[in-house]
């Protein structure tokens, strides 16, 4: 047996072992960090609704702009198309989306509007034309059409529905909602081109 060869191999083995321990410890730490990041990460749901051609991502407390704009359009269309016969359906559809802060206010507005429509026997129709989002607020612009229940005596006006949405546990929550005549009340008018009055 050659003692010098043995000692050289033994020294190399000890050197390898000295580097092996910190390497294994570093890899273990990386694995723990990655495991913690994966466990604590919000679940992301990817949706492809039939109305849209692109995928949308919804996390626990965040969603793509396309998702919130689609919800804003849905809410404006739902509230903007009111007849004396569909009031109960609209209330059932909108109330679960309202945050506690605006629940009473929006409930009062909707019920007052339904009462007026029922007394005057008129219907509201909303024809959306553009959707714009600024921060958490979605502005849906279009034409509001008021007509008698028989369909005569229509009145068309420019109308905007303004909805502030937040995502809570993958669910949209309405934090603010208002409607008014005219174009969206936002500073960025250049990004929003309203159609002409004769647009169909």
């Amino acid at each position: 047996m050659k003692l010098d060869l043995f000692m050289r191999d033994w020294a190399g083995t000890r050197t390898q072992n000295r580097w092996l321990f910190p390497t294994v410890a570093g890899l273990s730490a990386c694995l723990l960090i990655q495991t913690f990041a994966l466990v604590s990460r919000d679940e992301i749901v990817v949706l492809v609704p039939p109305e849209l051609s692109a995928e949308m991502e919804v996390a626990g407390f965040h969603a793509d702009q396309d998702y919130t704009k689609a919800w804003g359009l849905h809410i404006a269309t739902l509230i903007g198309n009111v007849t004396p016969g569909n009031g109960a359906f609209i209330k059932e559809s909108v109330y679960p989306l309202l945050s506690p802060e605006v629940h009473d206010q929006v409930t009062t507005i909707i019920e007052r509007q339904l009462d007026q429509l029922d007394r005057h026997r008129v219907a509201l129709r909303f024809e959306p034309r553009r959707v714009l989002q600024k921060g958490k607020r979605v502005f849906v612009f279009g034409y509001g059409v008021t007509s008698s229940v028989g369909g005569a005596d229509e009145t068309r006006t420019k109308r905007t529905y303004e909805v502030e949405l937040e995502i809570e546990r993958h669910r949209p929550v309405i934090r603010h909602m208002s409607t008014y005549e005219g174009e969206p009340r936002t500073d960025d008018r250049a990004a929003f081109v309203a159609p002409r009055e004769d647009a169909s």
Side-chain angles (χ1 to χ4, degrees):
M1 178 176 182
K2 296 182 179 179
L3 187 60
D4 59 337
L5 181 61
F6 172 76
M7 294 303 292
R8 194 164 55 244
D9 289 345
W10 177 249
T13 302
R14 291 187 64 189
T15 303
Q16 280 184 337
N17 285 342
R18 266 198 302 270
W19 285 104
L20 189 61
F21 178 75
T23 303
V24 171
L27 289 173
S28 299
C30 289
L31 182 61
L32 284 173
I33 292 170
Q34 187 178 23
T35 302
F36 178 76
L38 289 173
V39 169
S40 61
R41 179 183 172 198
D42 277 344
E43 181 183 358
I44 295 178
V45 181
V46 179
L47 305 171
V48 186
E51 303 86 19
L52 300 171
S53 58
E55 292 182 349
M56 297 184 296
E57 289 189 357
V58 182
F61 294 89
H62 175 74
D64 287 348
Q65 269 200 357
D66 289 338
Y67 182 77
T68 51
K69 285 168 72 172
W71 265 104
L73 177 60
H74 170 71
I75 292 164
T77 304
L78 185 66
I79 294 176
N81 291 283
V82 186
T83 65
N86 70 354
F89 170 75
I90 290 174
K91 287 192 284 188
E92 289 176 8
S93 302
V94 173
Y95 289 177
L97 302 174
L98 299 174
S99 68
E101 297 84 15
V102 299
H103 188 275
D104 292 340
Q105 175 190 357
V106 175
T107 298
T108 302
I109 292 171
I110 291 176
E111 288 180 351
R112 187 185 310 141
Q113 182 180 9
L114 291 172
D115 182 59
Q116 289 175 351
L117 293 175
D118 194 38
R119 277 190 283 115
H120 295 100
R121 303 299 295 167
V122 295
L124 292 180
R125 187 173 80 246
F126 180 62
E127 300 171 354
R129 291 292 183 265
R130 301 283 189 277
V131 181
L132 171 70
Q133 181 164 356
K134 292 289 290 180
K136 295 179 181 178
R137 296 211 172 183
V138 178
F139 301 85
V140 184
F141 173 81
Y143 294 99
V145 181
T146 306
S147 62
S148 62
V149 175
D153 302 326
E154 286 192 352
T155 304
R156 285 169 61 90
T157 57
K158 291 181 178 181
R159 179 156 292 279
T160 297
Y161 287 86
E162 186 176 318
V163 183
E164 182 177 324
L165 289 169
E166 287 186 356
I167 305 299
E168 290 186 1
R169 296 179 180 86
H170 302 90
R171 190 175 67 91
V173 176
I174 299 172
R175 296 287 181 197
H176 165 82
M177 185 166 59
S178 63
T179 179
Y180 44 85
E181 289 188 6
E183 298 178 6
R185 295 172 185 166
T186 172
D187 296 334
D188 191 7
R189 293 298 180 94
F192 186 91
V193 180
R196 297 194 311 273
E197 187 66 43
D198 60 348
S200 57

